[in-house]
Amino acid sequence: MKLRLLAGLSALVAAAGLSACSSSGSGDGVSEDGGRTTIDVWLMRDSVSAAFQKDFEKGFEAAHPDIDARVQIQEWDGIGEKVTAALASNDAPDVIETGNTQVAQFAQSGGLLDLSDKKDELGGKNWLKGLAEPGAYEGKQYGIPYYAANRVVIYRTDLFKKAGIDASSIKTREQWIAATKKLDKGAQQGIYLPGQNWYTLSGFIWDEGGDLATESGGTWKGSLDTPEALRAMAFYEKLQALGKGPEDSDEAQPPQAEVMAKGQVAQIVSVPGGANVIAQNNADLKDKLGFFPIPGKTAGTPGAVFTGGSDLVIPVASQHHDAAYTFVKELTGDAWQKKLAVAMSYVPNKTTLASAVDKDPGASTMAVGAAVGHATPNTPGWAAVEAKNPVKDYMTAVLTGGDPAREADKASDAITSAMKSGS
């Protein structure tokens, strides 16, 4: 699943489309200059920069002169329908980048190649949980983790210093609340947290040991009505009250980074790229922004986060499974993962590679949370839930005075119905 502002993680790299990794071949998979296997690859907008593409092109061609990989950049808007149509055709691309939480939906159709027997070879034991788990469906691995991004706390270093708060000492939720209370004075907001930031709520739910939905005997059911989820919502309500975030909209309406840029917000929960947007809108804040991981319930474990990012899949309809796998293996292998993480400020696909972004404050902070990251419920029906998003409605209802238990029951039923209709 693509996170809002993910493009900002690459320091707002110009989103230039990738050219082919080498000269184009004919449509039958073998180039006209003799013997090279041509594969078509779909990567998503902002997945790579032009500089990384050039570097990868040179390395891939040197290592695999027999493969001509033709890369096409796709837009996120409408990509679900486009991939679904491609998988059902006889002319599917050979490799597709897809949002991590979309894999189950595509796998259900039978259009994806089962890559379970490649997990060990690809270092699967070290994959980020938030990428690997949604890349699997009914016990089989279809999606290979590509890169990740998640939310952190972006804070004003000057306001924290003025209040006598050391951000590095904030390790627990209660410490976070105490610090935010000190910052929430007069016109200054301790935190700007919109009422419908349901990804952040999800992290609190996972911290409590709950989930958005659970499966039993093959049936999925909404679970916002559990004690764990209700405790998470109570904490969200407590934190959200320490600022002036609207109860009835999310982080995009209005864009929360632009709100922080106005100078009266001490913190937001965002991907690190939000700091670039803040600085663009208020140059005076460029050197006054820092990052820390979302705190957990206890000091020893950071807060759970929703892991956004992508997996790579190979369609069954591809005529070049071996060459497609070679491409996937290279791009998700340790060498190129380290380079991708540095170039794009992403989190690498394995926990063992986190040190690659040690020199990047935002990305290294993300990596802390990514180690305990989660994804949305791994069922094809979840797409229908996000389309209607009863979680947002539930949050607004509670924040505007509704009874939490009653509203949670209604939202859980709505989630259950949506998953059933979308499966």
Side-chain angles (χ1 to χ4, degrees):
M1 177 176 289
K2 192 72 170 177
L3 288 174
R4 289 189 177 100
L5 288 175
L6 200 53
L9 296 174
S10 59
L12 301 182
V13 171
L18 284 182
S19 61
C21 284
S22 59
S23 59
S24 297
S26 63
D28 60 3
V30 179
S31 66
E32 295 176 357
D33 56 6
R36 301 180 74 200
T37 298
T38 298
I39 61 172
D40 292 313
V41 178
W42 286 2
L43 295 182
M44 300 307 299
R45 179 70 65 191
D46 302 317
S47 171
V48 292
S49 65
F52 177 86
Q53 176 268 322
K54 184 177 181 180
D55 191 23
F56 180 78
E57 171 187 330
K58 182 179 178 180
F60 186 81
E61 289 186 349
H64 307 284
D66 57 331
I67 301 175
D68 177 9
R70 304 187 300 189
V71 179
Q72 303 172 41
I73 293 298
Q74 306 294 319
E75 302 296 337
W76 285 98
D77 287 345
I79 191 60
E81 293 81 1
K82 187 171 184 178
V83 171
T84 297
L87 295 178
S89 73
N90 293 320
D91 190 30
D94 300 284
V95 178
I96 301 174
E97 173 190 347
T98 180
N100 57 329
T101 61
Q102 295 176 319
V103 176
Q105 178 184 358
F106 301 140
Q108 183 189 40
S109 70
L112 300 184
L113 190 67
D114 178 8
L115 298 171
S116 301
D117 63 345
K118 304 296 185 182
K119 287 176 64 175
D120 289 344
E121 183 178 357
L122 295 175
K125 66 180 181 180
N126 295 316
W127 283 339
L128 293 177
K129 179 180 177 182
L131 294 179
E133 288 189 351
Y137 179 64
E138 294 188 340
K140 297 180 179 179
Q141 193 73 39
Y142 296 97
I144 304 304
Y146 179 22
Y147 66 84
N150 50 262
R151 289 163 176 78
V152 301
V153 180
I154 301 177
Y155 72 99
R156 286 276 301 274
T157 56
D158 56 330
L159 297 182
F160 270 57
K161 183 177 181 180
K162 184 178 179 180
I165 300 169
D166 178 5
S168 66
S169 69
I170 301 176
K171 302 295 185 182
T172 68
R173 284 188 190 175
E174 291 310 310
Q175 291 170 342
W176 192 18
I177 288 289
T180 304
K181 283 182 176 178
K182 290 183 68 175
L183 293 160
D184 190 41
K185 293 185 177 181
Q188 180 177 294
Q189 300 183 55
I191 189 169
Y192 179 85
L193 184 60
Q196 295 184 347
N197 191 331
W198 71 282
Y199 292 120
T200 298
L201 173 64
S202 298
F204 299 157
I205 292 173
W206 293 320
D207 277 340
E208 294 288 349
D211 210 333
L212 299 164
T214 56
E215 183 267 339
S216 178
T219 300
W220 282 88
K221 179 179 181 295
S223 55
L224 292 180
D225 54 348
T226 62
E228 294 84 0
L230 288 169
R231 288 197 300 268
M233 186 62 215
F235 176 76
Y236 190 100
E237 186 172 14
K238 185 177 181 181
L239 182 65
Q240 199 270 343
L242 298 176
K244 299 179 175 66
E247 291 93 351
D248 59 352
S249 63
D250 62 20
E251 61 269 35
Q253 300 175 347
Q256 63 176 355
E258 294 179 13
V259 175
M260 190 170 184
K262 294 178 181 178
Q264 295 182 325
V265 173
Q267 308 169 83
I268 59 172
V269 178
S270 169
V271 293
N276 298 323
V277 179
I278 294 166
Q280 280 191 333
N281 283 273
N282 186 345
D284 291 340
L285 298 182
K286 182 178 180 180
D287 299 319
K288 298 177 181 178
L289 300 171
F291 312 92
F292 62 86
I294 295 173
K297 290 190 69 177
T298 61
T301 305
V305 293
F306 167 75
T307 301
S310 291
D311 285 10
L312 298 179
V313 300
I314 299 175
V316 171
S318 164
Q319 301 300 306
H320 313 290
H321 289 169
D322 288 345
Y325 174 69
T326 297
F327 183 94
V328 170
K329 184 179 179 181
E330 285 282 357
L331 193 51
T332 63
D334 290 5
W336 288 109
Q337 278 292 300
K338 291 177 182 178
K339 293 178 180 179
L340 180 69
V342 171
M344 304 299 292
S345 293
Y346 292 152
V347 179
N349 63 1
K350 301 182 186 72
T351 57
T352 50
L353 302 179
S355 61
V357 291
D358 279 351
K359 295 182 180 179
D360 184 323
S364 60
T365 303
M366 276 198 303
V368 174
V372 290
H374 293 250
T376 49
N378 190 14
T379 168
W382 188 256
V385 177
E386 290 198 25
K388 298 180 179 179
N389 219 322
V391 184
K392 286 186 173 183
D393 295 337
Y394 158 67
M395 296 173 74
T396 294
V398 173
L399 292 173
T400 54
D403 177 73
R406 184 171 61 251
E407 297 299 337
D409 284 340
K410 290 166 55 179
S412 295
D413 288 344
I415 290 173
T416 301
S417 296
M419 287 189 295
K420 182 180 294 186
S421 65
S423 295

